[in-house]
Every structure is written in C-alpha cells, then in structure tokens.
Amino acid sequence: MFGRLNSPEQVFSYKLGAALTMERDTLEMLGDLEEAAQRPELKQLLREHAAETRVQIETIEQCFALLGEEVDDSPCPVTKALAAEAKANLKKADDSLVDAVILAGALETEYHEQAVYETLAIHARARGAERVAVLLESNLNVEQGAGARVKALTQQIATTGVATTPADEGMGATAKAGLAAGVAATVGAAAAAASKVAENKGKEQAHEAAEESLRTQPATTSTTSTATSSTTGGLVEGEELNDDALQDRTTRSDTRPAVDEERPAAGI
C-alpha cells in the first residue's frame, strides 16, 4: 500500500488495487442482498453477477501480473459506504419494499464501477499497457451488462408495483404479464378520459368567448342602411328637403320604369 503517490504509475496501481477491493466488497454484498431479496428473478440476477464478480477479481489480479507488480489491496471507501447505506435502508424498509431498495443500491454501485473501469482503461492505454487496457475493458463490459439487467428489473417493478405481497410470491409469469397489461390499460383509459375532458372544456370556453364577443361588439348596420337609401331613392345624408329638391325627386320618381309591373308573378 502506497504512503504517498509520486508518479502517474503509482496513481494507476493504487486505483487498480482499489478496484480489486471494490470487487471483493461487492462480492460480499451480493451474497447478503441475495439472501434478503424477495423475488426469484432478483435472487437469480444477484447470483449471476456474483459469479461474474469472481471472474473480475481474477482479471484484476492478472493485470497486476502483466505489469510485473505485486497485488495491491488499496482501500475503496465508496463501496463500503454503499454497502453500509444498503444495510441501513434494508433495516428501515418494510419487507414488501425490500426488492426496490436492493435494486436502487445495486444500480448506484454498477454506475460507480463502470466509471472506475473506464478511467483505469484510459490510463492503462496511455501508459502503453494495451493488454491491461483490454482486460479492464472486459470488466467494464460486464458491469455495463449487469447495470442494464438491474435497470430493466427496476423498471419492471416500478411499472407493476414496487411492493410485494404473499399472493405475488405464487404468481406465475402469465399472471404477472396480465397484471402488467392491466396496469397499462388502466393508464391508457385514464389518459383518454383526461383528453376527453380537456376537449369538452375547450368547446365550452370557445362558446363562452363567442357569446362575450356578441355582447361587446356594437351592431354595424349604418353602411347597409346608407346603401339601401341610395338604391331606393330615400333621403341621402346631408340632402335638404326644400321645394326645388322636392320637385326634382318627384320628377325622377315619375320617370323611373315600373319594374314591379314587368316582373312575373312568384311561383310561375
């Protein structure tokens, strides 16, 4: 274990040793979580990743051998803190919520481990240790696959219901699929109902706006009245009805053709 880090190579070896401690801590934590898990599919996921973690530990030890260095066991405070948090949350959680708590902690751990391997692979390649970089990237791929499986199960549980009940434990795959479909149908029906309410509300608002417009806009009939007066010979605005004007209007009226007499009777 290094007392002080004085070169990039020492930093790399220290972080590589911390990754080894990280995986050893994770392996121990996976066993505890599998024992606490309620769902069979979660137990299987944790069991499978424990087997993968054993291989990852061997891979890191092989990296030290390729570098010609002794295996270092630098501390990894992050995984110890994550393990402590997981245990504390499990003690607080009701038995029906245990799986959701486990998955939350597992996803946080997977993302941390992915970041560790990405950083190590970059620096291994920078120092010319290509074979070490390839091995570290293989560990990264394992963590990415495990993270994807944890995320998928987290989404499944969040969709069908976080809590488990005694009835859930004996529920088959077909029944669980039916439950998920029922939840989806309920959500879809609720969305359709909300859309219909919004549509009706929009129609009511449009109707109210039209009524308000009719109440507030003044009638605009002056132009029509003026035009009518012009065509029927009525008194035009500004025209004075004196004797000469009266005589002139009478003459025009007498000479206008009798249109009504020539128009055929309605309906013929």
Side-chain angles (χ1 to χ4, degrees):
M1 179 176 177
F2 298 95
R4 185 175 179 81
L5 305 175
N6 298 312
S7 67
E9 289 78 15
Q10 288 182 346
V11 172
F12 178 83
S13 297
Y14 181 84
K15 297 295 291 183
L16 186 61
L20 180 59
T21 303
M22 172 186 74
E23 294 296 2
R24 288 171 175 170
D25 291 342
T26 299
L27 183 59
E28 181 180 352
M29 182 167 53
L30 286 169
D32 295 337
L33 295 178
E34 181 187 349
E35 184 178 349
Q38 303 291 316
R39 289 173 171 83
E41 59 268 36
L42 178 55
K43 287 181 176 292
Q44 181 180 354
L45 188 155
L46 296 170
R47 191 181 309 115
E48 290 174 352
H49 191 46
E52 293 172 335
T53 303
R54 293 185 183 93
V55 177
Q56 289 178 299
I57 291 173
E58 295 175 358
T59 300
I60 296 175
E61 292 173 346
Q62 187 178 355
C63 290
F64 276 110
L66 289 171
L67 294 170
E69 300 178 4
E70 293 184 1
V71 175
D72 182 68
D73 58 351
S74 303
C76 184
V78 175
T79 49
K80 285 182 170 54
L82 288 170
E85 181 185 20
K87 290 179 180 179
N89 290 339
L90 286 174
K91 288 181 179 179
K92 294 179 182 179
D94 183 80
D95 289 345
S96 62
L97 303 174
V98 163
D99 287 355
V101 173
I102 291 175
L103 286 166
L107 196 56
E108 293 172 4
T109 303
E110 291 304 326
Y111 285 145
H112 167 70
E113 292 178 337
Q114 290 174 33
V116 168
Y117 284 121
E118 280 187 303
T119 304
L120 286 171
I122 290 172
H123 288 285
R125 188 164 280 114
R127 64 183 289 182
E130 182 64 27
R131 292 178 63 188
V132 172
V134 171
L135 288 174
L136 292 170
E137 286 174 342
S138 70
N139 275 8
L140 172 61
N141 292 335
V142 170
E143 298 301 346
Q144 289 173 336
R149 296 196 302 274
V150 170
K151 183 177 179 180
L153 186 54
T154 301
Q155 291 173 329
Q156 176 185 331
I157 291 177
T159 302
T160 59
V162 172
T164 59
T165 63
D168 293 337
E169 297 177 359
M171 186 181 295
T174 303
K176 289 181 179 180
L179 176 61
V183 171
T186 302
V187 172
S195 176
K196 188 66 176 179
V197 170
E199 180 183 353
N200 292 338
K201 186 175 181 180
K203 291 180 180 180
E204 292 176 359
Q205 290 176 342
H207 183 69
E208 293 174 357
E211 291 183 345
E212 181 67 18
S213 176
L214 291 175
R215 288 196 298 267
T216 56
Q217 291 183 0
T220 56
T221 58
S222 58
T223 303
T224 304
S225 299
T226 303
T228 303
S229 299
S230 299
T231 57
T232 58
L235 183 62
V236 179
E237 182 179 359
E239 182 181 1
E240 296 182 0
L241 191 61
N242 51 30
D243 293 341
D244 294 337
L246 180 61
Q247 179 63 37
D248 181 63
R249 294 177 66 81
T250 302
T251 303
R252 291 202 306 269
S253 176
D254 292 340
T255 59
R256 183 178 295 121
V259 177
D260 294 338
E261 295 178 2
E262 298 176 0
R263 182 177 301 161
I268 299 178

